[in-house]
Amino acid sequence: MPVAVRLPLPVFFERETRHPHKTFLVQPLGGGEVQRLTWADAGQQARRAAQWLRERALPPGSHIALISKNCAHWIIADLAIWMAGHVSVPLYPNLTADSVAHVLTHSEAALVLVGKLDDWPAMAPGVPHGVPTISLPLCPSGVFDFSWADLQACASIEDDPTPDATALATIIYTSGTTGLPKGVMHSFGALGFAATRGTQLFGLGEGDRLLSYLPLCHVAERMFVELAAIYTGQTVFFAESLDTFLTDLRRARPTALFGVPRIWSKFQLGVYAKVPPRRLDRLLRLPFIGPRIGRKVLAGLGLDALRIALSGAAPVPEALLHWYRRLGLDVLEVYGMTESCGYSHVCRPGQQTIGWIGTPCPDVEVRIDPDGEVQVRSEATMLGYFKDPDKTRETLTADGFLRTGDKGEQDADGRLRLTGRLKEIFKTSKGKYVAPAPIENRLAEHARIEQVCVVGDGLAAPMGLCVLSQAAPSEARAALQGSLERWLQQTNATLDKHERLSRLVVVNGVWGVENGFLTPTLKIKRNVIEATYGAHLHAWSERTEAIVWQD
């Protein structure tokens, strides 16, 4: 029997009534101090802010922007916007002023709520003239038109508003691996559909704990943290900063955690910085002692209470999945897109087949078109792209399937394996097509390769551009080079002849969000990498060494 879809605000009101004094949000304030907000606290503050928004007399369904790093008042502000009858438009907290201007102008934002940020002065010039700004708690100093205190001076709204399921709830701007970000429109019904069904997959409830650290403006964190907490009653802990991340993780001791592959890899590298890989491997192999060592490693990371570990945004190297399994933790892969509320495929506990993502989520239809593209359809599919009907028609088929742009295949049990991106496939000068993603996943299993991008459009053979981990410089160059050469040979042995890499190039510097090489969800921006290194590619391709070190 189909499960009835529950909408976000009514579910929040139920929680507010059922356990008003239970802790909902735990916010670090610095210096080891934290603020604990109950469901009643969050509801009361959201209701007062909603009343203030209503008093602005904006047209119903106005677009209200929210620019902030993850914090308790991100979620409270989102609820207030919905309670006031408006649409929330979250922005990434590290955009340039030009990008801020583009999103605020394109989305027709009427107001901007500004929260916890690292460099608001650099972003502030992007706010269009005449658009009022409101400072949230933890907001950096600056000149704002209104403060959160102004909003809290209002009386609370007296009703429990329930927007129609078809009403627009949010516009989520994609992180933009190529070109300008697109505004993905989602209804309350789509959010409710994904949250209602998604939260039933893992048996999480009011005694569970989440740590929020990936951008809440991204669909994955929005669904797995904000909406999952509302629908299950979990407590949400927030990370204060990168410097305090492990402390925050140990404080929260989450029972469920969503990460991207680079996060899981960084945990591993952190362990290897303290215990050499070979020594840890020997210890884990010991009978009786091995499992205890695994539990100790997880406890040191703050992951000892973890029951559900999920990874998305990109495939996880198989060697990394095996490593966590040896520690006693199954990292389960999930698959989804902003355009599908992140709700598409997930690996269920106890059903993991490494190399395959998992089966479709409940009530998701999947098909593979003749070109190998994965297409999905469910009630979580977007309404379309804001002010871009042409792109919407290009992305949604006539019968309502979402074109994911991913190539993939299904096994007899419906498990999905991704084999590359349609638009990332390039052609070498020999006329052969190469899908870079599977090769990158294989290369990334090397303990000293932190990031890798396979390029080769117009070259005689593809090559891999690599960023090494922080631990690599401590090794002798000759030993490291020998290790990379052997890894290149092993990788090439698994590839078809036209896919084999001519060499690996170890590039200088790092690929980060701050310098534009990664999206805020840590996906590589291929166009930026190709533009940065494009002038060197042909010269590198003519070198004879298997491993080239950038000067």
Side-chain angles (χ1 to χ4, degrees):
M1 184 175 180
V3 178
V5 171
R6 301 183 300 155
L7 302 182
L9 282 183
V11 174
F12 176 79
F13 298 144
E14 290 171 14
R15 296 241 162 252
E16 190 184 24
T17 300
R18 186 159 75 244
H19 42 60
H21 304 301
K22 179 181 182 295
T23 299
F24 175 26
L25 307 168
V26 180
Q27 175 63 54
L29 300 176
E33 185 181 357
V34 298
Q35 178 186 27
R36 295 179 179 271
L37 296 167
T38 65
W39 289 86
D41 293 333
Q44 184 180 64
Q45 291 192 33
R47 290 169 182 275
R48 288 175 174 170
Q51 178 61 31
W52 184 91
L53 289 170
R54 288 182 181 182
E55 291 175 1
R56 300 309 100 194
L58 297 169
S62 291
H63 300 170
I64 310 297
L66 174 55
I67 310 176
S68 176
K69 297 174 71 173
N70 295 16
C71 61
H73 284 87
W74 197 107
I75 292 177
I76 294 172
D78 200 29
L79 291 168
I81 292 168
W82 287 344
M83 289 181 190
H86 299 310
V87 176
S88 62
V89 183
L91 278 71
Y92 283 99
N94 51 5
L95 296 178
T96 64
D98 287 343
S99 295
V100 170
H102 168 74
V103 174
L104 295 183
T105 301
H106 185 270
S107 67
E108 302 172 6
L111 294 168
V112 182
L113 295 161
V114 182
K116 181 181 177 182
L117 294 168
D118 290 331
D119 195 2
W120 172 241
M123 302 174 74
V127 178
H129 179 72
V131 176
T133 55
I134 303 104
S135 62
L136 300 177
L138 303 182
C139 177
S141 59
V143 178
F144 299 93
D145 298 294
F146 303 97
S147 70
W148 188 247
D150 296 326
L151 278 60
Q152 294 305 295
C154 288
S156 298
I157 60 171
E158 298 181 356
D159 58 324
D160 287 348
T162 304
D164 189 84
T166 61
L168 180 62
T170 188
I171 303 176
I172 303 175
Y173 279 80
T174 58
S175 53
T177 54
T178 59
L180 292 172
K182 302 180 292 292
V184 177
M185 298 186 292
H186 276 303
S187 67
F188 285 101
L191 298 180
F193 173 87
T196 298
R197 282 158 172 72
T199 52
Q200 295 175 344
L201 292 172
F202 302 112
L204 296 170
E206 296 173 5
D208 285 296
R209 301 179 298 278
L210 300 169
L211 177 69
S212 179
Y213 66 99
L214 292 172
L216 266 168
C217 55
H218 187 270
V219 71
E221 194 83 348
R222 191 91 170 272
M223 298 303 302
F224 189 78
V225 171
E226 180 189 27
L227 288 171
I230 290 172
Y231 277 69
T232 63
Q234 298 174 85
T235 298
V236 180
F237 291 74
F238 293 90
E240 182 178 356
S241 67
L242 285 176
D243 292 337
T244 65
F245 182 77
L246 278 179
T247 300
D248 298 325
L249 191 60
R250 293 182 186 121
R251 177 193 297 119
R253 292 185 63 242
T255 56
L257 185 69
F258 177 84
V260 295
R262 194 168 179 225
I263 293 296
W264 297 109
S265 178
K266 279 191 169 293
F267 286 157
Q268 182 192 53
L269 291 173
V271 172
Y272 283 165
K274 296 180 179 179
V275 183
R278 290 184 179 178
R279 181 172 178 231
L280 180 60
D281 181 67
R282 287 196 301 270
L283 292 172
L284 292 174
R285 289 178 185 274
L286 295 173
F288 306 111
I289 295 176
R292 292 173 56 191
I293 294 296
R295 289 192 294 271
K296 186 175 181 180
V297 170
L298 292 175
L301 292 170
L303 303 178
D304 54 313
L306 204 55
R307 293 192 295 111
I308 302 297
L310 301 179
S311 184
V316 184
E318 292 186 14
L320 190 60
L321 295 176
H322 284 295
W323 186 80
Y324 276 102
R325 179 173 281 184
R326 294 181 67 198
L327 296 182
L329 180 67
D330 282 336
V331 177
L332 306 175
E333 293 195 80
V334 301
Y335 171 68
M337 299 176 63
T338 304
E339 290 83 348
S340 66
C341 283
Y343 184 80
S344 179
H345 289 71
V346 63
C347 180
R348 276 66 158 181
Q351 300 179 24
Q352 187 180 38
T353 300
I354 290 180
W356 297 81
I357 294 170
T359 53
C361 295
D363 298 312
V364 172
E365 299 175 76
V366 185
R367 70 187 184 193
I368 309 293
D369 84 344
D371 293 327
E373 182 182 37
V374 179
Q375 299 181 356
V376 298
R377 180 172 66 182
S378 77
E379 292 181 34
T381 304
M382 68 173 179
L383 297 173
Y385 296 115
F386 185 55
K387 295 196 300 191
D388 199 342
D390 291 339
K391 192 66 177 177
T392 299
R393 283 190 293 269
E394 179 184 327
T395 306
L396 298 178
T397 66
D399 56 352
F401 276 83
L402 171 66
R403 303 180 192 274
T404 65
D406 287 312
K407 294 191 68 174
E409 58 188 14
Q410 290 180 290
D411 67 7
D413 296 317
R415 284 184 289 258
L416 179 69
R417 188 206 323 258
L418 299 183
T419 57
R421 288 283 296 172
L422 288 176
K423 293 183 179 179
E424 289 176 356
I425 294 174
F426 57 79
K427 185 191 291 186
T428 66
S429 61
K430 296 178 181 179
K432 298 290 187 178
Y433 286 98
V434 175
I439 305 173
E440 292 164 350
N441 294 337
R442 173 66 173 155
L443 289 171
E445 293 178 7
H446 191 283
R448 292 295 180 253
I449 295 179
E450 182 164 340
Q451 296 164 303
V452 60
C453 181
V454 171
V455 297
D457 190 28
L459 300 178
M463 69 176 72
L465 308 182
C466 304
V467 174
L468 300 183
S469 69
Q470 293 180 348
S474 63
E475 296 185 25
R477 169 72 70 89
L480 183 55
Q481 176 148 332
S483 175
L484 292 173
E485 287 177 356
R486 290 189 294 273
W487 191 243
L488 176 61
Q489 291 172 359
Q490 292 176 34
T491 300
N492 278 339
T494 67
L495 303 176
D496 291 336
K497 186 175 181 180
H498 70 279
E499 297 176 314
R500 292 172 186 166
L501 306 180
S502 60
R503 59 195 42 80
L504 295 179
V505 179
V506 179
V507 299
N508 296 326
V510 296
W511 297 341
V513 176
E514 300 76 14
N515 59 10
F517 282 89
L518 303 180
T519 70
T521 53
L522 308 183
K523 293 180 183 178
I524 288 174
K525 292 185 177 181
R526 294 183 184 274
N527 59 329
V528 173
I529 289 174
E530 289 172 356
T532 301
Y533 303 106
H536 305 285
L537 295 183
H538 281 281
W540 286 337
S541 71
E542 294 174 357
R543 299 276 289 268
T544 57
E545 310 98 308
I547 308 299
V548 173
W549 301 80
Q550 185 182 14
D551 296 332

